[in-house]
């Protein structure tokens, strides 16, 4: 017999046991309802999906893109570079308050390692890789990771800042490669795929079309003839491959208009990317591998784009072509018979749309190459055979520009020929001779004494300057104090520049 004191406790236990039994029963029933039994499954949608001839076309397209990706991806590499840079100490150490305790001044730089990522394309089985110059420029260590995760140390074979192409090599054999295609055969609307390592995401593929060809005047490189594409290209894609539907290399990804601050502004893709044509890449690569430098063809003309008024004056039906504004005496163009006022409309049978297109086309040919130059002279068509020379050092091909060597007092100056359109723009008489300053390094001696773009240099140390060839020769000799005669705002001015300015 239970004591009275145990009754509430036992009642509570019984009630608890009953509640637990009820909960357990509910859970058991629920599980039995939800648990698939023999021959019974979840109510999932079933079916084979859409069929039909139109769907078969898309399936075939998918298989084609699979094949391209499987063929190309093994030859795409991830490039990791290390650069040692000097970093100045904190400006706080320049403060007199700190210096009275620690001495000074503290201007001793410290070493700091910086790392960067990029892409590259294997083009020979024995390890030659093409990439962008800006990917490997100034790198002290270059590591290359293949698609199979093997890592190699690479060495630089050669670089060409003018086209932003670099060639590196790894010590390996029997590597997968991407064959070169003919980039000159590309048409707007052609399907292309971009391969690379955007944002460090290894071995990524994007698809798009050719949006434009022959893009120039972007201010990215000295020689510009870019392929524009809407295939997504992002930071880290630099040096990666742009391929056609045959899996051939037709471009080297190099720049984008980004969602940050313009060209390569640090943001992502907005559907405007640029690639260096494969024909240019191949020419630069072969030249660097053979000689360690790039030999470029030289025509010896200063050219400009046509305006509607110029086209009317020179009896040209439209504004396509490159107008010859000046011919360098003794140059290949002069020997062949080209004259100022000729309008170059074709090169080797291909239409020349602009001066930049002509510049890149000549630059991609070897010295000694014979080219057919189609022109309009006084409205009449003529064709000249020109044997290209070798482009002089520091001379801007076909644009009539020259950059001064770094050891000269006039370093930091880039000048171009004074053409009729420039004379008109600057308000100068038609018989004014000289070269006009196109760009100037703000830290150069010339900038420190006040020279600026638009100034016309007529004399260097009392010797006449008629064109960029004269200026280049005189500037290379200018090691000490230099006397210039310039024209600014229509007036002649003498300027003295010292190496230490």
């Amino acid at each position: 017999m239970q004591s009275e004191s145990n009754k509430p406790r036992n009642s509570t236990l019984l009630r608890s046991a009953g509640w637990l039994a009820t909960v357990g029963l509910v859970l058991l029933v629920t599980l039995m309802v939800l648990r698939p039994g023999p021959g019974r499954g979840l109510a999932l949608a079933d079916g084979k999906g859409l069929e039909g001839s139109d769907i078969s076309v898309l399936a075939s397209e998918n298989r084609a893109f699979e094949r391209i990706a499987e063929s190309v991806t093994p030859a795409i590499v991830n490039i990791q570079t290390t650069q040692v840079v000097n970093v100045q100490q904190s400006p706080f150490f320049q403060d007199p308050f700190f210096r009275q305790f620690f001495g000074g001044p503290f201007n001793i730089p410290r070493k700091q390692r910086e790392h960067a990522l990029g892409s590259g394309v294997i083009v020979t089985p024995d390890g030659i890789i093409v990439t962008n110059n800006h990917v490997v420029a100034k790198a002290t260590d270059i590591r290359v990771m293949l698609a199979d995760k093997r890592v190699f140390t690479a060495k630089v074979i050669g670089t060409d800042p003018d086209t932003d192409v670099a060639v590196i090599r790894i010590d390996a054999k029997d590597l997968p490669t991407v064959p070169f295609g003919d980039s000159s055969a590309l048409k707007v609307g052609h399907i292309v795929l971009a391969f690379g390592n955007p944002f460090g995401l290894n071995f990524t593929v994007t698809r798009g079309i050719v949006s434009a060809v022959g893009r120039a005047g972007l201010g990215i490189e000295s020689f510009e003839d870019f392929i524009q594409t809407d295939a997504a290209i992002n930071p880290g894609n630099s040096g990666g491959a742009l391929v056609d539907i045959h899996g051939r290399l037709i471009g080297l990804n190099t720049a984008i208009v980004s969602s940050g601050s313009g060209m390569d502004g640090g943001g992502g893709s907005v559907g405007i990317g640029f690639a260096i044509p494969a024909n240019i890449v191949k020419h630069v690569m072969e030249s660097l591998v053979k000689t360690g430098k790039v030999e470029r063809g030289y025509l010896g003309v200063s050219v400009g784009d046509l305006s509607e008024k110029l086209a009317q004056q020179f009896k040209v039906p439209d504004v396509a072509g490159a107008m010859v504004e000046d011919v360098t005496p003794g140059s290949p163009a002069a020997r062949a018979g080209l004259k100022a006022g000729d309008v170059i409309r074709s090169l080797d049978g291909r239409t020349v749309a602009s001066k930049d297109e002509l510049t890149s086309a000549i630059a991609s040919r070897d010295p000694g190459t014979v080219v057919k130059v189609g022109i309009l002279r006084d409205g009449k068509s003529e064709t000249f055979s020109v044997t290209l020379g070798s482009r002089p050092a520091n001379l801007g091909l076909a644009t009539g520009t020259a950059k001064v060597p770094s050891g000269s007092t006039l370093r930091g100056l880039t000048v171009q020929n004074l053409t009729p359109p420039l004379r008109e723009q600057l308000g100068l008489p038609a018989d004014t001779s000289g070269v006009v300053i196109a760009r100037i390094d703000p830290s150069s001696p010339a900038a420190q004494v006040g020279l600026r773009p638009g100034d016309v240099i007529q004399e260097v140390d009392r010797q006449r300057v008629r064109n960029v060839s004269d200026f280049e020769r005189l500037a290379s000799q200018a090691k000490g104090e230099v006397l210039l005669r310039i024209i600014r705002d229509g007036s002649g001015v003498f300027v003295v520049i010292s190496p230490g300015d």
Side-chain angles (χ1 to χ4, degrees):
M1 183 175 177
Q2 296 178 343
S3 65
E4 292 296 324
S5 61
N6 286 334
K7 285 183 180 179
R9 179 183 173 196
N10 291 339
S11 301
T12 302
L13 289 172
L14 288 172
R15 284 196 300 271
S16 298
W19 179 81
L20 288 172
T22 302
V23 172
L25 181 62
V26 171
L27 288 174
L28 179 62
V29 172
T30 302
L31 289 172
M32 290 178 67
V33 171
L34 294 179
R35 185 183 65 185
R40 182 177 178 181
L42 296 176
L44 299 177
D46 195 10
K48 297 181 180 179
L50 299 176
E51 298 289 344
S53 59
D54 52 348
I55 302 300
S56 296
V57 171
L58 295 178
S60 177
E61 187 177 280
N62 274 344
R63 288 192 294 272
F65 289 130
E66 272 184 49
R67 288 181 60 197
I68 297 170
E70 289 172 356
S71 172
V72 174
T73 297
I76 305 302
V77 303
N78 183 328
I79 299 177
Q80 306 171 39
T81 64
T82 301
Q83 179 182 350
V84 177
V85 296
N86 290 328
V87 180
Q88 296 293 330
Q89 296 285 354
S90 169
F92 288 110
F93 286 104
Q94 308 302 320
D95 191 288
F97 175 79
F98 287 91
R99 287 170 60 182
Q100 67 177 316
F101 292 102
F102 303 106
F106 291 88
N107 283 321
I108 301 174
R110 59 185 175 87
K111 302 289 185 181
Q112 179 173 300
R113 291 182 177 272
E114 292 184 352
H115 303 278
L117 297 174
S119 307
V121 188
I122 305 173
V123 292
T124 68
D126 58 350
I128 290 181
I129 297 168
V130 292
T131 184
N132 285 147
N133 174 65
H134 74 259
V135 170
V136 299
K138 300 180 181 179
T140 53
D141 182 66
I142 303 173
R143 301 277 176 171
V144 171
M145 183 173 72
L146 308 188
D148 60 13
K149 306 303 180 183
R150 285 185 293 166
V151 178
F152 295 85
T153 298
K155 66 177 182 179
V156 176
I157 299 298
T159 62
D160 182 37
D162 286 337
T163 57
D164 197 22
V165 174
V167 180
I168 62 177
R169 191 167 202 159
I170 59 175
D171 187 12
K173 294 181 179 179
D174 302 321
L175 295 173
T177 63
V178 180
F180 277 96
D182 181 8
S183 55
S184 67
L186 275 182
K187 303 294 182 184
V188 173
H190 282 190
I191 295 173
V192 290
L193 282 78
F195 290 75
N197 304 280
F199 297 110
L201 300 173
N202 293 334
F203 312 109
T204 299
V205 186
T206 56
R207 187 183 73 174
I209 64 168
V210 174
S211 305
V213 294
R215 279 285 188 238
L218 305 177
I220 304 173
E221 314 299 343
S222 299
F223 301 109
E224 297 183 340
D225 184 21
F226 292 117
I227 301 164
Q228 182 182 326
T229 179
D230 66 349
I233 297 174
N234 287 290
N237 267 120
S238 290
L242 189 70
V243 305
D244 62 12
I245 58 172
H246 300 285
R248 300 174 301 197
L249 181 68
I250 47 87
L252 201 65
N253 305 327
T254 191
I256 61 171
V257 173
S258 77
S259 57
S261 55
M263 203 73 63
D264 267 342
S269 170
V270 294
I272 303 177
F274 301 100
I276 305 164
N279 290 3
I280 293 177
V281 176
K282 186 178 181 181
H283 171 260
V284 170
M285 179 200 71
E286 290 176 342
S287 191
L288 288 173
V289 170
K290 289 178 182 178
T291 67
K293 60 181 180 180
V294 180
E295 292 283 349
R296 292 189 168 92
Y298 173 62
L299 190 58
V301 294
S302 169
V303 292
D305 287 326
L306 286 166
S307 64
E308 290 185 5
K309 289 185 178 180
L310 283 172
Q312 292 173 2
Q313 288 289 328
F314 289 89
K315 301 178 182 178
V316 182
D318 50 50
V319 296
M323 182 176 177
V324 178
E325 296 170 333
D326 194 16
V327 178
T328 303
S331 67
R335 290 193 296 271
L338 290 175
K339 299 178 181 178
D342 291 342
V343 178
I344 299 176
R345 301 274 285 183
S346 67
L347 187 71
D348 288 335
R350 293 184 181 273
T351 300
V352 171
S354 65
K355 67 179 181 65
D356 291 311
E357 190 171 308
L358 176 67
T359 297
S360 294
I362 297 295
S364 65
R365 286 161 168 78
D366 292 319
T369 302
V370 178
V371 295
K372 299 290 185 182
V373 180
I375 70 162
L376 282 178
R377 180 180 291 174
D378 296 325
K380 298 179 181 179
S381 298
E382 293 189 48
T383 301
F384 293 85
S385 292
V386 184
T387 302
L388 299 179
S390 181
R391 177 194 173 214
N394 302 309
L395 181 65
L397 174 70
T399 58
T401 62
K403 189 175 181 180
V404 182
S406 58
S408 169
T409 302
L410 299 179
R411 62 187 179 276
L413 283 177
T414 301
V415 302
Q416 67 183 76
N417 284 323
L418 188 58
T419 62
L422 280 174
R423 289 190 190 95
E424 182 178 352
Q425 182 180 341
L426 296 170
L428 298 174
D431 60 350
T432 304
S433 63
V435 294
V436 63
I437 297 176
R439 291 187 295 275
I440 185 168
D441 184 341
S443 64
S444 66
Q448 300 306 310
V449 298
L451 264 65
R452 63 195 188 200
D455 289 343
V456 176
I457 301 175
Q458 290 196 303
E459 294 180 2
V460 175
D461 285 335
R462 298 189 183 277
Q463 297 186 62
R464 184 182 174 190
V465 174
R466 295 168 298 179
N467 50 42
V468 293
S469 296
D470 288 344
F471 181 78
E472 182 185 24
R473 173 176 52 82
L474 296 170
S476 64
Q477 301 168 3
K479 305 297 183 182
E481 197 169 75
V482 179
L483 173 65
L484 298 184
R485 186 181 189 277
I486 68 169
I487 295 178
R488 175 181 293 171
D489 300 328
S491 300
V493 180
F494 283 102
V495 178
V496 176
I497 304 177
S498 300
D501 283 334

